[in-house]
Amino acid sequence: MSFHATVLTLYRDMFPGPLGHALAGRALSEGRWALDAVDIRSFATDRHRTVDGTPAGGGPGMVMRPDVLAAAIDGSGGAGPRLLMSPRGVPFDQAMATRLAEGPGVTLVCGRFEGVDQRVIEARGLTEVSIGDYVLAGGEVAAFAILDAIVRLLPGVMGNNQSAAEESFSDGLLEHPQYTRPALFEGREIPAVLTSGDHGRVAAWRAAEREALTAARRPDLLAPVRRGRAAD
Ligand code: SAH
């Protein structure tokens, strides 16, 4: 059974979009994962196919109706955890991507307007997940980001499994700088250690660079790594 992604959206035509290209697109056509984009509006029951309403208590914008969204969730038959794309949610990270990639699939609910009625979040046990501290116009871009991060971790998707083990966040640190040809670019050389052929020195240089870069840019990531080392 391949990984099964279900996306509930008012804009089904946006999918697979970027996920139909490159690594994720190839994996999709190879059947390593499957994608169902479900049109929430097709679950509306009134003549105008209404999916939203004005906010109770007043205020600007519109709110997605709980009954239509609940019917879409119930009718979609999605696998795995149900996540609601939401700026109020738990921050999405590499650990969550890894955990989800190990499961049967995921169901992603994309909000629009001012968001969704609180009662459907509770009634359908949706977990709110955020891709960062900024407000998007809709959950679709968040769903792309989350699926992109998951799909590249699925078995057989990345050619070289080492890349997953060595990149940013895999050991809690940011990745070391990378270089390739040409040897000289606008007067800048590749650090000599990388062309020395000494694998031990290369590994040590990269580890030191990861540590220094993380300390400079994301000290918040470094603290838990150092605590973990101290506990070993
Ligand atoms: N009024 C809401 C924002 C609604 S934005 C608030 O202040 O919290 C419309 C939709 O975009 C949301 O329902 C959500 O599905 C999506 N969205 C916006 N920002 C997001 C983020 N940072 N992460 C994930 N989804 C987001």
Side-chain angles (χ1 to χ4, degrees), residues 85-87 111-115 129-132 134-139 142:
M85 307 298 94
S86 163
R112 278 275 158 181
F113 320 118
E114 291 305 316
V129 175
S130 168
I131 64 160
Y134 39 77
V135 180
L136 303 167

Side-chain angles (χ1 to χ4, degrees), residues 2-3 16-17 38 55-56 66 91 110 133 139 147 165 170 174 230-232:
S2 67
F3 187 88
V38 176
C110 301
D133 291 342
L147 290 177
S170 54
L174 302 180
D232 282 345

Side-chain angles (χ1 to χ4, degrees), residues 38-70:
V38 176
D39 177 17
I40 295 168
R41 195 175 296 279
S42 68
F43 291 88
T45 50
D46 66 323
R47 202 163 54 88
H48 301 290
R49 304 216 298 158
T50 308
V51 295
D52 57 347
T54 54
M62 300 296 276
V63 175
M64 286 173 76
R65 291 173 59 117
D67 50 350
V68 177
L69 199 48

Side-chain angles (χ1 to χ4, degrees), residues 13-177:
D13 291 351
M14 285 189 184
F15 294 86
L19 300 173
H21 297 268
L23 208 68
R26 199 168 331 118
L28 189 59
S29 56
E30 287 170 357
R32 296 188 193 277
W33 69 293
L35 175 65
D36 273 332
V38 176
D39 177 17
I40 295 168
R41 195 175 296 279
S42 68
F43 291 88
T45 50
D46 66 323
R47 202 163 54 88
H48 301 290
R49 304 216 298 158
T50 308
V51 295
D52 57 347
T54 54
M62 300 296 276
V63 175
M64 286 173 76
R65 291 173 59 117
D67 50 350
V68 177
L69 199 48
I73 292 166
D74 297 344
S76 68
R82 293 166 173 169
L83 311 183
L84 171 65
M85 307 298 94
S86 163
R88 305 190 310 189
V90 41
F92 182 70
D93 63 9
Q94 190 64 18
M96 202 186 298
T98 304
R99 219 161 40 240
L100 288 166
E102 287 165 356
V106 70
T107 298
L108 303 181
V109 180
C110 301
R112 278 275 158 181
F113 320 118
E114 291 305 316
V116 312
D117 187 301
Q118 181 65 26
R119 293 168 295 175
V120 68
I121 302 176
E122 295 163 11
R124 290 300 176 273
L126 304 180
T127 301
E128 293 180 68
V129 175
S130 168
I131 64 160
D133 291 342
Y134 39 77
V135 180
L136 303 167
E140 287 77 12
V141 166
F144 286 137
I146 288 174
L147 290 177
D148 194 87
I150 294 172
V151 167
R152 61 196 291 284
L153 298 176
L154 297 174
V157 173
M158 255 192 297
N160 181 356
N161 268 336
Q162 256 326 92
S163 12
E166 288 184 357
E167 68 198 353
S168 291
F169 306 117
S170 54
D171 58 358
L173 300 178
L174 302 180
E175 195 183 58
H176 50 78

